[in-house]
Amino acid sequence: MPRIPTLALVTGGALLARRALRRRIAASPLWPLPALEEPVSGQPRSRALRLRVARHERVAEGVVQLRLEGRDLPRWRPGGHLDLVLPSGLVRQYSLCGDPEDRSSYTVATRLIAAEDGGRGGSREVHERLREGDEVEVRGPRNRFPLADAPSYVFVAGGIGITPILPMLRAVAASGAPWRLLYGGRSRRSMPFLEEVAKLAGEHAGRVTVVAEDEDGLPDVAAFLSGTPEGAAVHVCGPPALLDAVTDALPPGCALRTERFSAGARSGGDTAFEVELRGSGRTVAVGADSTVLAAVRAVLPDTAYSCEQGFCGTCRQRVLAGEVDHRDELLTDGERASAMLICVSRAHGGRLVLDL
């Protein structure tokens, strides 16, 4: 029997591991962190804060930054985010990009997403309806993208994905640990915080690589990651294609932490099922290409919802019977025993019973 070279075995194993990693990330946008003891959002309104919009400014093409002022605000760490309850009632999640030591304000930034690009109105409301002096409701902060403890760091940011990474860069630069950043975007005009990133790099040539697509095309992620030392922590925030590229090129022995812009879509495998609404005495059909939320709102139009991506918790409902295919990253394991987010989760089997 011919002997298989050890290198071939190792290479094949690494390829299988990367494919498994990609599947895991696609199924869980906030992986690798487990369910938290507390949900990351959807908290009761009694725990929310009312903050004043002290500054509303354009910091790049299509990007607005908000400074929200209060007093003795809860502490946060790099990678944290807020749930912002907009005047319309929509709930959106925005990464904190200010100074964690500042207890008097929170800073977030958001890019305007047009409807034809998948925007659902939240970013437009921030850009066009919020004004300095307005009060907004804020929940959090929460953190499911924390800065790892590692001997060295590599950061990869795509566009507005620089927002959670910026406080990480400040913290790592202050600690003296080695770090590098790959920051890509459509154009330099559309990329916020370029000047601050350059200042953080200081005199260390090659520490920051900026790739503007209109000038240089897409970034070569594999080339950037090559030579990354074992034990380094790789943090990436951006669109799915960027996360896939980093996953494929991840060097051996490196830890990967990711945050994507939106929930990872699942394709295929969905089947139709029924949902009994015990409180209203109705039963609705959920098609393979529909959601429980859509089916429920067809007969109960006042059912609350907001993000439609399994992030905010607004559509949470009590489950009385049936097995749930949970597709959110919000509820804890304990909460999932009796509740579901009907905007994304489905049924394992043909029937669910909800307390609605």
Side-chain angles (χ1 to χ4, degrees):
M1 180 177 178
R3 296 180 62 188
I4 301 175
T6 301
L7 179 60
L9 286 172
V10 172
T11 303
L15 180 60
L16 291 174
R18 286 175 181 169
R19 288 175 178 171
L21 184 64
R22 179 187 288 183
R23 289 194 298 271
R24 184 67 182 91
I25 291 172
S28 178
L30 298 172
W31 185 88
L33 296 167
L36 299 180
E37 294 180 1
E38 280 189 278
V40 297
S41 62
Q43 298 295 323
R45 290 184 177 266
S46 60
R47 298 185 62 180
L49 303 170
R50 296 291 299 182
L51 303 182
R52 184 177 68 88
V53 180
R55 182 173 296 174
H56 182 290
E57 62 179 331
R58 183 177 180 268
V59 293
E61 186 178 83
V63 178
V64 160
Q65 179 176 273
L66 302 179
R67 192 177 81 234
L68 309 172
E69 287 190 345
R71 294 181 61 186
D72 298 322
L73 299 178
R75 297 184 184 277
W76 60 279
R77 294 181 178 179
H81 76 270
L82 294 176
D83 295 344
L84 191 62
V85 184
L86 299 173
S88 67
L90 291 175
V91 182
R92 294 294 184 263
Q93 290 69 41
Y94 297 114
S95 296
L96 288 155
C97 56
D99 180 2
E101 299 302 316
D102 181 3
R103 303 287 302 281
S104 66
S105 70
Y106 291 140
T107 302
V108 298
T110 179
R111 181 178 301 284
L112 178 63
I113 307 298
E116 55 268 27
D117 295 325
R120 293 169 295 113
S123 66
R124 184 166 296 280
E125 188 168 352
V126 170
H127 278 246
E128 298 179 359
R129 290 187 56 188
L130 282 187
R131 295 288 184 270
E132 292 182 2
D134 289 350
E135 279 199 349
V136 292
E137 182 177 312
V138 167
R139 305 171 190 169
R142 301 285 182 257
N143 197 333
R144 299 198 79 162
F145 185 46
L147 180 64
D149 184 9
S152 62
Y153 297 87
V154 172
F155 300 98
V156 181
I160 199 65
I162 192 64
T163 50
I165 286 176
L166 187 60
M168 296 183 183
L169 295 177
R170 297 190 193 111
V172 171
S175 74
W179 62 273
R180 293 187 301 128
L181 167 69
L182 173 61
Y183 181 14
R186 295 179 180 177
S187 68
R188 290 179 179 268
R189 296 187 307 277
S190 69
M191 298 166 69
F193 312 119
L194 275 176
E195 290 187 6
E196 181 173 354
V197 166
K199 289 180 181 178
L200 286 171
E203 299 177 356
H204 300 275
R207 178 166 283 182
V208 173
T209 300
V210 175
V211 179
E213 291 179 25
D214 62 346
E215 300 173 9
D216 309 307
L218 295 173
D220 188 340
V221 173
F224 179 79
L225 292 177
S226 65
T228 300
E230 186 173 349
V234 179
H235 295 71
V236 54
C237 181
L242 183 64
L243 270 66
D244 288 345
V246 173
T247 302
D248 285 343
L250 186 69
C254 293
L256 177 64
R257 292 199 175 187
T258 67
E259 186 168 70
R260 63 177 66 231
F261 293 156
S262 60
R266 295 191 182 187
S267 58
D270 291 339
T271 58
F273 57 95
E274 288 186 342
V275 177
E276 178 187 344
L277 310 178
R278 182 67 55 85
S280 60
R282 305 186 186 193
T283 297
V284 296
V286 181
D289 58 350
S290 185
T291 65
V292 177
L293 175 64
V296 169
R297 283 182 55 82
V299 297
L300 299 176
D302 292 333
T303 302
Y305 74 103
S306 181
C307 76
E308 298 184 83
Q309 297 187 76
F311 286 138
C312 74
T314 304
C315 68
R316 173 176 170 169
Q317 298 296 335
R318 184 179 174 213
V319 180
L320 301 179
E323 184 180 358
V324 179
D325 175 12
H326 290 285
R327 300 189 177 189
D328 68 279
E329 285 290 335
L330 178 69
L331 302 179
T332 66
D333 292 339
E335 290 170 327
R336 287 180 172 185
S338 60
M340 69 182 289
L341 301 189
I342 62 173
C343 66
V344 292
S345 296
R346 302 183 67 83
H348 273 310
R351 188 176 180 86
L352 289 175
V353 181
L354 300 182
D355 188 19
L356 260 175

